[in-house]
Amino acid sequence: MSLILTEIKNKVGIITLNSEKTLNSLSLEMIEELKAVLEYWKISGEVACIFLQGAGEKALCAGGDVRKLHDAIIEQQSIDGTKVPQQCFDFFSKEYQVDYLIHTYPKPVIVWGHGIVMGGGIGIMVGASHRIVTERSKLAMPEITIGLYPDVGGTWFLNKMPSAYGIYLGLTGARLDGADCKFLGLADYYISSSSKVALLDALDHAQWNGNNHQTVSAILENISKETSTPESQAQIHHSFIAQFEGANSLEEFREILIQHPDKDEWINTGIKSFETGSPSSAHIIFRQLKEGENLSLEEVFQSELNLSCQCCIHPDFAEGVRALLVDKDLSPKWQPATLHDITKEWVDSYFTPLWAHEKHPLKNLGKKD
């Protein structure tokens, strides 16, 4: 079974992530297939526009296949736990190349962000030129709960959000619906899922006359008029989020979060994820977003590759995946166990470069061949 299904109709290259059983979670093989298709269609005269979707109705993509990464880490630990497992390096480096390719793609890329879109799924969606959410879209970057951090360009797109939404979402993994995504700049169009057939039909009859981005925009503007965007919970909580703008340390962030007097379900859910998540992740996420505010897109993916590979040789990532997906006891034993146990030296170790600058595996991102 092919993990990526493709077809071309009226110069529209349709890509379907085809692993419905795993909610279209990204494996290394799927990433490699996707990269090959995108690279080929980038220069093909047969394709004017890309339409990317997930198989089935439940998810565009529920993230990366972290269970396989966990297994690779455990195997590597039995040999030499100080070395990054090759499978993990291959996965992250190729995933970020695909994400960067979508961010910089010369042709319109439409992403149908229907159903669950998490982690690596957001990485695929966020860089597209035309990002669609529906009434069933559920997005999140819940990496703090598995000892990781919001990668796939999170340093870039979380820092581009208004107010302190980026740092809040990164540290709490808060769930977002389609209306939230429109408000926060993660999506461009809110369209009823029942309009998908009409959208594909419009693309099937489009005239590709050179200004293809404009052609796609006009189609989507027309179809999105039929659906009104509901109220955004994220927007409703703006005054709460604004309090975090002045947080200059993780301790200040936590104090504001815990001490807020008017807690509702939305806020309490965020508190729970923050409090039960990896203390190491909380510290590295705060530093990642603060120090990465002014990085270029290329520098973002370069820094994230280093941080992701460091997570593979630090204890919490494998432990978080074990607790959630392997043993499913939902009781991770974080090392160190609390926020107060984390030292500056421990956080620094996550950010220690694994490669000299001139030898960085992604040093050629953005450079002409």
Side-chain angles (χ1 to χ4, degrees):
M1 182 187 77
S2 177
L3 295 169
I4 299 286
L5 302 179
T6 62
E7 64 174 323
I8 301 172
K9 296 178 68 178
N10 185 39
K11 290 198 167 185
V12 178
I14 300 173
I15 299 174
T16 304
L17 306 180
N18 188 38
S19 183
E20 192 173 352
K21 186 178 178 181
T22 67
L23 299 177
N24 304 315
S25 293
L26 296 172
S27 61
L28 177 59
E29 296 77 16
M30 188 184 289
I31 289 168
E32 289 173 336
E33 285 187 38
L34 180 57
K35 186 173 187 289
V37 172
L38 288 171
E39 291 282 15
Y40 180 65
W41 282 356
K42 181 179 177 180
I43 56 174
S44 171
E46 296 178 7
V47 175
C49 162
I50 306 284
F51 184 90
L52 202 155
Q53 63 184 350
E57 289 297 314
K58 292 183 178 178
L60 166 67
C61 171
D65 189 345
V66 293
R67 173 67 190 266
K68 284 187 179 178
L69 299 182
H70 163 275
D71 294 348
I73 292 170
I74 298 304
E75 182 180 351
Q76 182 63 42
Q77 284 176 350
S78 67
I79 304 168
D80 181 357
T82 66
K83 290 187 178 180
V84 178
Q86 186 65 41
Q87 184 174 349
C88 296
F89 169 78
D90 290 344
F91 177 87
F92 287 119
S93 60
K94 291 178 182 180
E95 180 183 28
Y96 299 166
Q97 288 176 57
V98 168
D99 294 338
Y100 183 81
L101 180 58
I102 292 172
H103 271 275
T104 57
Y105 213 68
K107 299 177 181 180
V109 178
I110 306 166
V111 173
W112 183 253
H114 179 67
I116 297 168
V117 188
M118 290 190 181
I122 293 182
I124 285 176
M125 178 175 165
V126 75
S129 60
H130 296 79
R131 304 161 302 175
I132 300 167
V133 285
T134 74
E135 75 284 356
R136 287 174 56 190
S137 295
K138 297 294 178 188
L139 283 77
M141 295 289 289
E143 285 78 7
I144 190 170
T145 62
I146 57 167
L148 201 56
Y149 70 99
D151 63 329
V152 295
T155 313
W156 175 265
F157 63 78
L158 289 174
N159 270 319
K160 296 218 168 332
M161 289 181 179
S163 185
Y165 281 98
I167 195 82
Y168 182 80
L169 295 179
L171 285 168
T172 64
R175 300 290 177 98
L176 304 171
D177 62 17
D180 295 328
C181 294
K182 273 288 300 290
F183 168 65
L184 293 170
L186 289 175
D188 307 296
Y189 304 93
Y190 185 98
I191 294 175
S192 168
S193 59
S194 62
S195 297
K196 185 180 184 182
V197 173
L199 169 57
L200 290 172
D201 186 61
L203 291 170
D204 198 27
H205 291 87
Q207 298 294 317
W208 305 109
N209 53 16
N211 198 335
N212 297 335
H213 281 83
Q214 195 174 62
T215 299
V216 171
S217 295
I219 289 171
L220 289 171
E221 288 288 348
N222 187 49
I223 291 178
S224 65
K225 288 176 185 175
E226 300 171 12
T227 308
S228 58
T229 306
E231 199 170 30
S232 157
Q233 282 296 309
Q235 187 171 11
I236 289 170
H237 286 82
H238 180 265
S239 61
F240 165 66
I241 297 295
Q243 297 177 84
F244 298 100
E245 291 177 20
N248 294 311
S249 67
L250 185 64
E251 292 72 23
E252 287 181 30
F253 177 93
R254 182 181 182 275
E255 187 173 346
I256 295 168
L257 182 66
I258 302 302
Q259 298 300 326
H260 186 72
D262 302 317
K263 298 182 179 72
D264 58 16
E265 184 182 358
W266 196 84
I267 294 172
N268 280 328
T269 301
I271 291 174
K272 182 180 179 183
S273 294
F274 176 78
E275 291 284 83
T276 59
S278 159
S280 293
S281 288
H283 277 275
I284 67 172
I285 291 166
F286 192 88
R287 178 165 164 181
Q288 165 209 2
L289 295 179
K290 290 297 183 182
E291 292 189 354
E293 284 179 342
N294 298 313
L295 295 181
S296 67
L297 186 61
E298 293 79 13
E299 290 168 335
V300 160
F301 285 115
Q302 289 161 359
S303 66
E304 289 184 358
L305 179 61
N306 191 84
L307 191 49
S308 295
C309 287
Q310 284 286 7
C311 285
C312 294
I313 52 179
H314 282 73
D316 276 6
F317 180 31
E319 172 61 12
V321 176
R322 178 207 66 75
L324 181 67
L325 298 174
V326 182
D327 297 333
K328 300 181 181 179
D329 56 30
L330 303 181
S331 298
K333 305 297 185 288
W334 303 126
Q335 300 177 49
T338 72
L339 290 173
H340 299 297
D341 294 332
I342 309 267
T343 64
K344 181 181 181 300
E345 290 72 27
W346 180 250
V347 179
D348 286 345
S349 69
Y350 273 90
F351 290 86
T352 302
L354 289 164
W355 311 278
H357 178 72
E358 64 276 7
K359 294 186 177 180
H360 195 288
L362 298 183
K363 69 181 185 335
N364 291 323
L365 275 187
K367 295 180 181 177
K368 300 291 184 184
D369 295 334

